[in-house]
Amino acid sequence: MVSFTCDYTEGAHPRILERLLETNLDQQPGYGEDVFCESARQKIRLAAECPGADVFFLVGGTQTNATVIDALLQRHEGVVAVETGHIAVHESGAVEASGHKVITLPPHEGKMQASNLKALLQRFHADPTKDHMVWPGMVYISYPTEAGTLYSKQELSDIQAICQEYEIPLFVDGARLGYGLMSPAADLTLPELARLCDVFYIGGTKVGALCGEAVVFPRGNAPRHFFTLVKQHGALLAKGRLLGIQFDTLFTDGLYFQISRHALEMAARLKDLFLRKGIPLSVDSPTNQQFPILTPAQMQALDGKVLFEVWDTLPDGRAVTRFATSWATTEQQIDLLAALL
Amino acid sequence: MVSFTCDYTEGAHPRILERLLETNLDQQPGYGEDVFCESARQKIRLAAECPGADVFFLVGGTQTNATVIDALLQRHEGVVAVETGHIAVHESGAVEASGHKVITLPPHEGKMQASNLKALLQRFHADPTKDHMVWPGMVYISYPTEAGTLYSKQELSDIQAICQEYEIPLFVDGARLGYGLMSPAADLTLPELARLCDVFYIGGTKVGALCGEAVVFPRGNAPRHFFTLVKQHGALLAKGRLLGIQFDTLFTDGLYFQISRHALEMAARLKDLFLRKGIPLSVDSPTNQQFPILTPAQMQALDGKVLFEVWDTLPDGRAVTRFATSWATTEQQIDLLAALL
Amino acid sequence: MVSFTCDYTEGAHPRILERLLETNLDQQPGYGEDVFCESARQKIRLAAECPGADVFFLVGGTQTNATVIDALLQRHEGVVAVETGHIAVHESGAVEASGHKVITLPPHEGKMQASNLKALLQRFHADPTKDHMVWPGMVYISYPTEAGTLYSKQELSDIQAICQEYEIPLFVDGARLGYGLMSPAADLTLPELARLCDVFYIGGTKVGALCGEAVVFPRGNAPRHFFTLVKQHGALLAKGRLLGIQFDTLFTDGLYFQISRHALEMAARLKDLFLRKGIPLSVDSPTNQQFPILTPAQMQALDGKVLFEVWDTLPDGRAVTRFATSWATTEQQIDLLAALL
Amino acid sequence: MVSFTCDYTEGAHPRILERLLETNLDQQPGYGEDVFCESARQKIRLAAECPGADVFFLVGGTQTNATVIDALLQRHEGVVAVETGHIAVHESGAVEASGHKVITLPPHEGKMQASNLKALLQRFHADPTKDHMVWPGMVYISYPTEAGTLYSKQELSDIQAICQEYEIPLFVDGARLGYGLMSPAADLTLPELARLCDVFYIGGTKVGALCGEAVVFPRGNAPRHFFTLVKQHGALLAKGRLLGIQFDTLFTDGLYFQISRHALEMAARLKDLFLRKGIPLSVDSPTNQQFPILTPAQMQALDGKVLFEVWDTLPDGRAVTRFATSWATTEQQIDLLAALL
């Protein structure tokens, strides 16, 4: 049985495990004050070319989104996101649980359109009843998006410009950041991303780590007492070293980007395979997630041999599916899939 | 430099790392539905002699406390704890952040006294204004306590009886559970503990794991939709295997208890050492934390060579300190300390 | 200057003020335990033909919505409403502030369509990832709606049937209830409404009272400890008599319905006037709110003489406006308006 | 039957009702933008000698406390109060429901002692683990206290000085403010109180109004968007005129202070009566609440004729009771009580 269901079906990249073994007996303080976290912070600042950045390591994506959003918003404010945004759909209301509304815009291929954002903010600020409403207090986007698509540098700049005009911060959820930045379709580098937003996170869980997300405030602009808020949100790891060692390894010799490129190459092979077999793609994704539309016969051919996710069933019986690749995906696995389709 | 500052200064017990390596390429579903979590659940049910238990794996202690308490309380209720309880002091208000008051009682050697609990509940229910107050909706205790002390079977039974009389659940925070159960001073077994409360957790982070706490509802009495609440609290790990593998290893061949016994033996040596040197102990702790009262001269002798925590400074200049042991503590480390004191 | 801006521009119906004067020196207990509240409860039970109803008096609409919704939902649940619902737009996020998501459906003339609700619930329960989402835990509708429209008995029954199928409660916001029930377009009576939902409130503020909303759980189905939740939400009035006296008066000799009928007659005159003058209506509202589309010239003619609300400006420069009537609206006021248009 | 149970057993001072009648047909905008609110604001600024003050009118005490505290605290902060403070005991956890801890100090005759506050803040800021704790972010005191006692100008200045040293705001709950300021035992004026804190409220409900509390930020220092927070907390009254008219009347010709003095005179008579009859007082209260300790025989003598509150029962069978006076208390009522004791 081979699984393409997601990019977190295996453990961690072997170099991470090696490093966990090597450092296991080093005695270090907890809560992110260890030498590994400090080293990882420094490497991330270098990679993102933001020497004054504040960097925090949290454990998972939902808690990271909830903590960052809660830290940046005032009580009367909500966060603007597209309807398909992770925080709006698949986080069990973690943002609302900390008291804030998710204000939604319709997505375009999974992306927020600057024009929609601008219209929302204009309409809000022109509304004489706005003091009876939830104020749009920040913007949340995912890079890559939940649909596997990418913002261009121009699109991101446009969104940033609007945020700056309205003086609200822009937060980029980078749970799969590497699969965006390393995509041949990307026209953005990590330093550029860092300049184009107020806070972003570098996803570890889905890019080769056992767990962990690195939150970066590029201009040293973390809210005061962010550490205490991380603790309050239950997102502070006692053995912070586990996160420090992983991110230190991922940002040594470009491993994070190497993992991302590998997964993207495997995804390109998947896409080739689907197109060769005449299988249409629901979205033209340049990232590590591919969304082929399979017939019942194709799905039956894979049954019991290849695992993947079913996202939607079409009226004609076909299914929109998701195949994801990771550091662990091999050519052999794709060949096996090819042989079955 | 040797550190006794806490029981999470090193990585994980070597057998855990080995097992992470061995299983690294197994493809498994996320969010705790992997075979390792399932195996670990089964082993915990056996060890605690509660075959119908619901078992969930969360990442850290604060998030576990906040999630369990939020899941068990109704909106008009608070949780009763001693003033020194972890949730009342060192979790940055995570319980209040989810809307609930921590109702405190004075501790007696770190423990809640059944008589105080009873008096609180009697007084509350006799108060004609109680509908204008926060209802005591559950009881939280730590085993061992934050002061390193232990409830006897009788003390725990007394507290449980009161909880049953008032129909409120009893939650035992077992962040350091093994160091309690394996203590020579303990008269409780794990199955007995499971029978004496409504929910407890088995701490992994402080007993040999990289991270992880196993929440056990011994009689299959988890609240409905607890999984979704775990997600909402940001406490659901995508690669749940990381927690499953660790707890499966800890509950294979009694490793969890073996680790605990080792740490307790090392703590007993520490205690002997302090007493031999005429150093008084602030609390007579039978667990893996020792609280010697050191003179400035003694502290200076250790300066730069041995690390420990300072809990309080006395008017005469001496300091109440904490020395903790773990699976990784060695006799050599204690000999080094002995040579310096 | 005459104002049609809303139905709360004046004080209270004179009979309410008289009754406040008459009862002023009666010594009564606080918090709704006075004889006036008890009498009002009894009269509401009679009027709604639900003798076992639980009735609570709260002060205002936003607090009533937030309290009822918070009381009925579990932590993992959200409330379903249309995008134009008051709780989704004009309550500054009070629902989210108590931790719950407002799950929105597109409105049809301001109303929720049963088919949309059914599709949402079906899709949710068929979604394999639903445990990572917010559960739809209750349904909120307004009668009349924010657009001044009315659900028919059939429409309400259809929504109720879906709620019963999915075992989630139906809550009717009746901030302007009288203006719906007494409308010639209504095919619902108060007892029918009470049978067709699980909880509703009878709006006082906008129907002749100084303040106050009566929450009715028609089958004695108030959540346990609802009183304490009302207190926690800051919605419990110390001098509960103020609410009791008002609702007792409103439900004596049918005053509530008489006030409603008067406002509706005045609104019908307004509608006639607009249609006679060739002024189109943005919605065909059978209730006390009318939404004429005025030209700039018409608006200028009224400037400084008649007040009303501007809801939207059309591309051609015309404005969608709102004119509301109440117990205090007079024929003279409408004649004045007629003379100006 | 005569009742001394509280200071909100009657309706409103007659002048308030007269003014409600007189103004009933004036058409005014809602939400506090009416001419009465504006006039009341101006009169309060004059009375408190703070011409730049921001003044908001809310409906009740619990919602006022919860809203002000939520507005002033950051998410990682809690509010410091004495254990007997209203927010710590009798508001059903409204402060915690908005996410904040109430950090308590032991009361001394119902009052917070500056030395205790100082010690708490010093200890907190010296604690190396403070980032894992709830930060003390503001101070809440009541004037008069829940025990009917008063802070002297010196005591209040001392607390303010500590707040200023630690840069946290001081909030004074003045639910019964008049009964404090007008007491012969008071050495504070309203302008002095306004200078000695960062925000306070002038209680209307318990001092002659039907409802209403005036929140005053003396130096125009209301948090931005406080209006929206009031709305979010369900504390914004649609017919804000009801609050405006009442406070405008209370602050016309010193009615607020006249009401307070009358109640204090009646309370002084009560105190005289108790002392004359040899009835001990549990606290020596210089305000409108008296706390006589009655024997069972005395309580029986009053049974069915005079109502009062029982606060506590002593081991010897006697009861600590509360008798409160208000604008409506008469000499006849006290004579009746005298005749029975």
Side-chain angles (χ1 to χ4, degrees):
Chain A
M1 181 82 86
V2 169
S3 172
F4 293 95
T5 48
C6 64
D7 32 24
Y8 42 95
T9 49
E10 285 90 359
H13 190 278
R15 259 195 255 164
I16 284 176
L17 294 187
E18 281 163 31
R19 194 83 181 110
L20 285 177
L21 275 171
E22 286 167 21
T23 58
N24 196 42
L25 289 178
D26 281 19
Q27 290 192 307
Q28 290 291 331
Y31 306 115
E33 297 178 11
D34 58 281
V35 294
F36 310 114
C37 281
E38 195 41 47
S39 170
R41 278 186 203 105
Q42 201 47 37
K43 288 177 182 167
I44 286 171
R45 287 184 193 112
L46 275 169
E49 294 178 9
C50 40
D54 295 319
V55 182
F56 295 85
F57 300 107
L58 279 69
V59 180
T62 295
Q63 71 179 209
T64 299
N65 286 331
T67 306
V68 169
I69 289 168
D70 194 28
L72 290 183
L73 292 182
Q74 299 296 308
R75 278 301 289 252
H76 66 292
E77 296 175 330
V79 53
V80 183
V82 288
E83 287 158 12
T84 49
H86 207 255
I87 56 168
V89 181
H90 276 127
E91 300 192 351
S92 292
V95 171
E96 289 87 357
S98 59
H100 302 290
K101 189 185 188 72
V102 182
I103 302 164
T104 53
L105 288 173
H108 181 74
E109 293 187 346
K111 293 187 275 184
M112 182 182 294
Q113 291 190 283
S115 56
N116 283 343
L117 174 61
K118 175 118 189 177
L120 171 87
L121 292 167
Q122 281 180 329
R123 207 166 49 237
F124 176 82
H125 286 284
D127 191 325
T129 68
K130 70 181 174 183
D131 283 328
H132 297 251
M133 298 168 73
V134 176
W135 284 57
M138 67 183 289
V139 171
Y140 163 98
I141 61 172
S142 305
Y143 184 89
T145 68
E146 294 73 11
T149 53
L150 294 176
Y151 289 88
S152 69
K153 198 188 301 182
Q154 187 60 51
E155 288 171 330
L156 200 52
S157 299
D158 290 349
I159 291 175
Q160 186 193 35
I162 296 167
C163 288
Q164 289 177 339
E165 182 185 344
Y166 286 91
E167 296 182 359
I168 57 178
L170 173 59
F171 170 35
V172 178
D173 174 337
R176 295 188 165 94
L177 189 63
Y179 304 136
L181 293 175
M182 291 297 107
S183 166
D187 67 349
L188 263 184
T189 63
L190 180 56
E192 285 168 336
L193 178 85
R195 279 197 292 277
L196 288 170
C197 68
D198 298 288
V199 52
F200 66 99
Y201 77 86
I202 303 171
T205 306
K206 290 164 181 164
V207 191
L210 291 165
C211 61
E213 323 293 323
V215 177
V216 183
F217 294 92
R219 289 168 290 284
N221 54 324
R224 288 188 63 195
H225 306 295
F226 187 72
F227 180 94
T228 300
L229 267 180
V230 171
K231 175 83 180 188
Q232 187 184 78
H233 274 270
L236 185 68
L237 199 63
K239 287 186 178 166
R241 64 190 294 141
L242 170 59
L243 302 173
I245 291 164
Q246 293 187 92
F247 273 96
D248 192 56
T249 307
L250 288 171
F251 281 84
T252 298
D253 300 334
L255 179 60
Y256 188 78
F257 303 107
Q258 179 188 320
I259 286 173
S260 303
R261 274 192 304 267
H262 172 78
L264 287 163
E265 283 165 22
M266 293 298 109
R269 278 176 189 258
L270 275 182
K271 184 189 260 188
D272 280 354
L273 168 61
F274 293 131
L275 294 179
R276 239 185 311 127
K277 298 277 183 178
I279 295 169
L281 300 169
S282 145
V283 187
D284 182 18
S285 161
T287 65
N288 78 315
Q289 304 185 77
Q290 297 297 319
F291 304 91
I293 301 175
L294 299 184
T295 63
Q298 287 162 335
M299 292 179 66
Q300 204 173 347
L302 302 184
D303 190 38
K305 289 167 194 143
V306 173
L307 291 174
F308 52 90
E309 268 198 7
V310 174
W311 272 31
D312 204 3
T313 305
L314 303 182
D316 63 7
R318 292 181 306 159
V320 178
T321 66
R322 183 182 75 168
F323 285 67
T325 61
S326 76
W327 64 270
T329 308
T330 62
E331 296 184 26
Q332 289 72 17
Q333 291 172 335
I334 295 174
D335 291 346
L336 173 70
L337 175 66
L340 291 167
L341 280 176
Chain B
M1 182 82 88
V2 169
S3 172
F4 292 95
T5 49
C6 65
D7 32 24
Y8 42 96
T9 48
E10 286 90 0
H13 190 277
R15 257 194 256 165
I16 284 176
L17 293 187
E18 282 163 29
R19 195 81 182 111
L20 285 177
L21 275 171
E22 286 166 21
T23 58
N24 196 42
L25 289 178
D26 280 19
Q27 289 192 309
Q28 290 291 331
Y31 306 114
E33 296 179 11
D34 59 280
V35 295
F36 309 115
C37 280
E38 195 41 47
S39 170
R41 278 185 203 105
Q42 201 47 36
K43 287 176 182 167
I44 287 172
R45 288 184 192 111
L46 275 170
E49 293 179 9
C50 43
D54 295 319
V55 182
F56 295 85
F57 300 108
L58 278 69
V59 180
T62 295
Q63 73 179 207
T64 298
N65 286 332
T67 306
V68 168
I69 289 167
D70 193 28
L72 290 182
L73 291 182
Q74 299 295 309
R75 278 301 291 252
H76 66 293
E77 295 175 332
V79 54
V80 183
V82 288
E83 287 158 13
T84 49
H86 206 256
I87 57 168
V89 181
H90 275 127
E91 301 192 352
S92 293
V95 170
E96 289 87 358
S98 59
H100 302 290
K101 189 184 187 73
V102 181
I103 303 164
T104 53
L105 289 172
H108 181 74
E109 293 187 346
K111 293 187 276 184
M112 182 182 293
Q113 290 190 283
S115 57
N116 283 345
L117 174 62
K118 176 121 189 174
L120 171 88
L121 292 166
Q122 280 180 330
R123 206 166 51 238
F124 176 83
H125 286 284
D127 191 326
T129 67
K130 70 180 173 183
D131 284 328
H132 296 251
M133 298 167 74
V134 176
W135 284 58
M138 68 183 289
V139 171
Y140 162 97
I141 61 172
S142 305
Y143 183 89
T145 68
E146 293 73 12
T149 54
L150 294 175
Y151 289 87
S152 70
K153 198 188 302 181
Q154 188 58 52
E155 288 171 330
L156 200 53
S157 300
D158 290 348
I159 290 176
Q160 185 192 37
I162 296 166
C163 288
Q164 289 177 340
E165 183 185 343
Y166 286 90
E167 297 182 358
I168 58 178
L170 175 58
F171 170 35
V172 178
D173 175 336
R176 295 187 165 94
L177 189 61
Y179 305 136
L181 293 174
M182 291 298 106
S183 166
D187 66 349
L188 263 184
T189 63
L190 180 56
E192 285 169 337
L193 178 86
R195 279 198 292 278
L196 287 169
C197 69
D198 298 287
V199 53
F200 66 99
Y201 77 86
I202 303 171
T205 306
K206 290 165 181 165
V207 191
L210 290 166
C211 61
E213 323 294 322
V215 177
V216 183
F217 295 92
R219 289 168 290 284
N221 54 324
R224 289 188 64 195
H225 306 295
F226 187 72
F227 180 94
T228 299
L229 267 179
V230 171
K231 176 83 181 187
Q232 187 182 78
H233 275 270
L236 186 67
L237 198 62
K239 287 185 179 167
R241 64 190 295 144
L242 170 60
L243 303 173
I245 290 164
Q246 293 186 93
F247 274 96
D248 192 55
T249 306
L250 288 171
F251 281 85
T252 297
D253 300 334
L255 179 60
Y256 188 79
F257 303 107
Q258 179 189 319
I259 286 172
S260 303
R261 274 193 304 267
H262 171 78
L264 287 162
E265 283 165 22
M266 293 298 108
R269 278 175 189 259
L270 275 182
K271 183 189 262 189
D272 280 354
L273 167 61
F274 294 130
L275 295 180
R276 239 185 313 126
K277 300 274 184 179
I279 295 170
L281 300 169
S282 144
V283 187
D284 181 17
S285 161
T287 65
N288 78 316
Q289 304 185 79
Q290 298 298 320
F291 303 90
I293 300 175
L294 300 183
T295 62
Q298 288 162 335
M299 292 179 65
Q300 202 171 348
L302 302 184
D303 190 36
K305 291 168 194 144
V306 174
L307 292 173
F308 51 90
E309 269 198 6
V310 174
W311 274 31
D312 205 2
T313 305
L314 302 182
D316 63 7
R318 292 181 304 157
V320 179
T321 66
R322 183 181 75 167
F323 285 67
T325 61
S326 76
W327 64 270
T329 308
T330 62
E331 296 184 27
Q332 290 72 16
Q333 292 172 334
I334 296 174
D335 290 347
L336 172 70
L337 175 65
L340 292 167
L341 280 175
Chain C
M1 182 82 87
V2 169
S3 172
F4 293 95
T5 49
C6 65
D7 32 24
Y8 42 96
T9 49
E10 285 90 0
H13 190 277
R15 258 194 257 165
I16 284 177
L17 293 187
E18 281 163 31
R19 195 84 182 110
L20 285 176
L21 275 171
E22 286 167 21
T23 59
N24 196 41
L25 288 178
D26 281 19
Q27 289 193 308
Q28 290 291 331
Y31 306 115
E33 296 179 11
D34 58 281
V35 295
F36 309 114
C37 281
E38 195 42 46
S39 170
R41 278 185 204 106
Q42 201 48 37
K43 288 177 182 166
I44 286 171
R45 288 184 192 112
L46 277 168
E49 293 179 9
C50 42
D54 294 319
V55 182
F56 295 85
F57 300 108
L58 279 70
V59 180
T62 295
Q63 75 179 207
T64 299
N65 286 332
T67 305
V68 169
I69 289 168
D70 194 27
L72 290 183
L73 291 182
Q74 299 296 308
R75 278 301 292 251
H76 66 293
E77 295 176 331
V79 54
V80 183
V82 288
E83 286 158 11
T84 49
H86 206 255
I87 57 168
V89 180
H90 276 126
E91 301 191 351
S92 293
V95 171
E96 290 86 357
S98 60
H100 302 291
K101 189 185 187 73
V102 181
I103 303 164
T104 53
L105 288 173
H108 181 74
E109 293 187 345
K111 292 187 276 183
M112 183 182 292
Q113 290 190 283
S115 56
N116 283 344
L117 175 61
K118 176 118 189 176
L120 171 88
L121 291 166
Q122 280 180 329
R123 207 165 50 238
F124 177 83
H125 286 284
D127 191 324
T129 67
K130 70 180 173 183
D131 284 329
H132 297 250
M133 298 167 75
V134 176
W135 284 57
M138 69 183 288
V139 171
Y140 163 98
I141 60 172
S142 305
Y143 183 88
T145 68
E146 293 74 11
T149 53
L150 294 176
Y151 289 88
S152 70
K153 198 188 301 181
Q154 187 59 51
E155 288 172 330
L156 199 54
S157 300
D158 290 348
I159 290 176
Q160 184 191 38
I162 296 167
C163 288
Q164 288 177 341
E165 183 185 344
Y166 286 91
E167 298 182 358
I168 57 178
L170 174 59
F171 170 36
V172 178
D173 174 336
R176 295 187 165 94
L177 189 62
Y179 305 136
L181 292 174
M182 290 298 106
S183 167
D187 66 350
L188 263 184
T189 63
L190 179 55
E192 284 168 338
L193 179 87
R195 279 198 292 278
L196 287 170
C197 69
D198 298 288
V199 53
F200 66 99
Y201 77 87
I202 302 172
T205 306
K206 290 165 181 164
V207 191
L210 289 166
C211 60
E213 323 294 322
V215 177
V216 183
F217 294 92
R219 289 168 290 284
N221 54 324
R224 290 188 63 197
H225 305 295
F226 186 73
F227 180 93
T228 300
L229 268 179
V230 171
K231 176 83 180 187
Q232 188 183 78
H233 274 270
L236 186 66
L237 198 63
K239 287 186 179 166
R241 65 190 295 143
L242 170 60
L243 303 173
I245 291 164
Q246 293 187 92
F247 274 96
D248 192 55
T249 306
L250 288 170
F251 280 85
T252 297
D253 299 335
L255 179 60
Y256 188 78
F257 303 108
Q258 180 189 319
I259 286 172
S260 304
R261 273 193 304 267
H262 171 78
L264 288 162
E265 282 164 24
M266 293 298 109
R269 277 175 190 258
L270 275 182
K271 183 189 261 187
D272 281 354
L273 167 62
F274 294 131
L275 294 180
R276 237 183 316 127
K277 300 275 184 180
I279 295 170
L281 300 169
S282 146
V283 187
D284 181 17
S285 162
T287 65
N288 78 316
Q289 304 185 78
Q290 297 297 319
F291 304 90
I293 301 175
L294 300 183
T295 62
Q298 288 163 335
M299 292 178 66
Q300 203 171 347
L302 302 183
D303 191 37
K305 290 166 193 145
V306 173
L307 291 173
F308 51 89
E309 268 198 6
V310 174
W311 273 31
D312 205 2
T313 305
L314 302 183
D316 63 7
R318 292 181 305 157
V320 179
T321 66
R322 183 182 75 166
F323 285 67
T325 61
S326 76
W327 64 271
T329 308
T330 62
E331 295 184 27
Q332 287 73 15
Q333 291 172 334
I334 296 174
D335 291 346
L336 173 72
L337 175 64
L340 293 167
L341 280 176
Chain D
M1 181 82 86
V2 168
S3 173
F4 293 95
T5 48
C6 64
D7 32 24
Y8 42 97
T9 49
E10 286 89 1
H13 191 278
R15 259 195 255 165
I16 284 176
L17 293 187
E18 281 162 32
R19 194 82 181 111
L20 285 176
L21 275 171
E22 286 166 22
T23 59
N24 196 41
L25 289 178
D26 281 18
Q27 289 193 309
Q28 290 291 330
Y31 306 115
E33 298 178 9
D34 58 280
V35 294
F36 310 114
C37 281
E38 195 42 46
S39 170
R41 278 186 203 106
Q42 201 48 34
K43 288 177 182 168
I44 287 171
R45 288 185 192 112
L46 276 169
E49 294 178 10
C50 40
D54 295 319
V55 182
F56 296 85
F57 300 107
L58 279 70
V59 180
T62 295
Q63 71 179 208
T64 299
N65 286 331
T67 305
V68 169
I69 289 168
D70 194 27
L72 290 183
L73 291 182
Q74 299 295 309
R75 278 300 291 253
H76 67 291
E77 296 176 331
V79 53
V80 183
V82 288
E83 287 157 13
T84 49
H86 208 255
I87 57 169
V89 181
H90 276 126
E91 300 192 350
S92 292
V95 171
E96 290 86 357
S98 59
H100 302 290
K101 189 184 187 75
V102 181
I103 303 164
T104 53
L105 288 174
H108 181 74
E109 293 187 345
K111 292 187 275 183
M112 182 183 293
Q113 291 190 281
S115 57
N116 283 344
L117 175 61
K118 175 119 190 176
L120 171 87
L121 291 166
Q122 281 180 327
R123 207 165 50 239
F124 176 82
H125 286 285
D127 191 326
T129 68
K130 71 180 172 183
D131 284 328
H132 297 251
M133 298 168 75
V134 176
W135 285 57
M138 68 184 288
V139 171
Y140 163 97
I141 60 172
S142 305
Y143 183 89
T145 69
E146 294 73 12
T149 52
L150 294 176
Y151 289 88
S152 69
K153 198 187 301 183
Q154 187 60 52
E155 288 171 330
L156 200 53
S157 299
D158 290 348
I159 290 176
Q160 186 192 36
I162 296 167
C163 288
Q164 288 178 339
E165 181 184 346
Y166 286 91
E167 297 181 0
I168 58 179
L170 173 58
F171 170 36
V172 178
D173 174 337
R176 293 187 167 94
L177 189 62
Y179 305 136
L181 293 175
M182 291 297 106
S183 167
D187 66 350
L188 262 184
T189 63
L190 180 55
E192 284 168 337
L193 179 86
R195 280 198 291 277
L196 287 170
C197 68
D198 299 287
V199 52
F200 66 99
Y201 77 87
I202 303 171
T205 306
K206 291 165 181 164
V207 191
L210 291 166
C211 61
E213 323 294 323
V215 177
V216 183
F217 295 92
R219 288 169 291 282
N221 54 325
R224 288 188 65 195
H225 306 294
F226 187 71
F227 180 95
T228 299
L229 267 179
V230 171
K231 175 83 180 187
Q232 188 183 78
H233 274 271
L236 186 67
L237 198 62
K239 287 185 179 167
R241 65 191 294 142
L242 170 59
L243 303 172
I245 291 163
Q246 293 187 92
F247 275 96
D248 191 55
T249 307
L250 287 170
F251 281 84
T252 297
D253 300 334
L255 179 59
Y256 188 78
F257 303 107
Q258 179 188 319
I259 286 173
S260 303
R261 274 193 303 265
H262 172 78
L264 288 162
E265 282 164 23
M266 294 298 109
R269 279 174 188 257
L270 275 181
K271 185 189 260 187
D272 280 355
L273 167 62
F274 294 131
L275 294 179
R276 238 184 313 128
K277 300 275 183 179
I279 296 170
L281 300 169
S282 145
V283 187
D284 181 17
S285 162
T287 65
N288 78 316
Q289 305 185 78
Q290 297 298 319
F291 305 91
I293 301 175
L294 300 183
T295 62
Q298 287 162 335
M299 292 179 65
Q300 204 171 347
L302 302 184
D303 191 37
K305 289 167 194 141
V306 173
L307 292 173
F308 51 89
E309 269 199 6
V310 174
W311 273 32
D312 204 4
T313 305
L314 302 182
D316 63 7
R318 292 181 305 158
V320 179
T321 66
R322 183 182 73 167
F323 285 67
T325 61
S326 75
W327 63 271
T329 308
T330 61
E331 296 184 26
Q332 289 73 15
Q333 291 172 336
I334 295 174
D335 291 346
L336 173 71
L337 175 65
L340 292 167
L341 280 175

